[in-house]
Amino acid sequence: MPVSRTFVMVKPDGVRRGLVGAIVGRLEAKGLCLRAMKLVSVSSAMAARHYEEHRGKPYYPELVQFITAGPALAMVWEGREAVAVVRALMGATDPAKAAPGTIRGDWALSITENLVHGSDGEESARREMEIYFSPAELSAGPGSTASA
Ligand code: CDP
Ligand code: MG
């Protein structure tokens, strides 16, 4: 499996609770490489694009309200099987069922306010990165000749 990239977000609950450093630290310690990062106020339009596959679900209004309610940290991480590796580090969607040792398993309990988002595949990773980052932001980083 070649090196891949995934889109990761520390959701507003993680920023509010001061868990940015702890969450980023786990991804770094695993050996993943940080390629892009910024604090964003997610607009209703961005939330609708990000969570389009969930439109119509009973939890959708609460999810959009939550994700737009405060600053979130948008990131791109790279590494061997990055999509699957980040999903494993996050733990199950429902933190009550997430294994201890995972981000959600250790630090969350609410299904909606479950601290992190990670893309569920290569295609969604590409799609989600483009919601939050410009092409220039996505090409910057280690190995790049681009200047800020
Ligand atoms: O985030 P993940 O890919 O693990 O789960 P998802 O099924 O793609 O759901 C996206 C997000 O919707 C979750 O992370 C929760 O924040 C929220 N959600 C919820 O509030 N209630 C549910 N029953 C399922 C998901
Ligand atoms: Mg998902």
Side-chain angles (χ1 to χ4, degrees), residues 57-111:
K57 298 276 171 54
Y59 56 82
Y60 181 80
E62 188 189 350
L63 175 60
V64 170
Q65 161 63 32
F66 159 59
I67 210 77
T68 57
L73 188 73
M75 297 171 281
V76 175
W77 288 85
E78 184 177 271
R80 196 174 146 257
E81 298 197 43
V83 168
V85 166
V86 168
R87 296 285 298 182
L89 292 173
M90 284 164 46
T93 304
D94 180 352
K97 300 183 176 70
T102 64
I103 292 165
R104 288 164 170 171
D106 285 351
W107 296 319
L109 196 54
S110 156
I111 302 187

Side-chain angles (χ1 to χ4, degrees), residues 5 33-37 75-78 133-148:
R5 286 182 169 197
C33 178
L34 180 62
R35 299 305 300 256
M37 172 186 255
M75 297 171 281
V76 175
W77 288 85
E78 184 177 271
F133 293 101
S134 68
E137 288 171 323
L138 291 173
S139 65
S144 158
T145 55
S147 57

Side-chain angles (χ1 to χ4, degrees), residues 30-47:
K30 180 65 179 174
L32 293 164
C33 178
L34 180 62
R35 299 305 300 256
M37 172 186 255
K38 76 176 156 194
L39 201 63
V40 289
S41 291
V42 180
S43 67
S44 303
M46 289 157 95

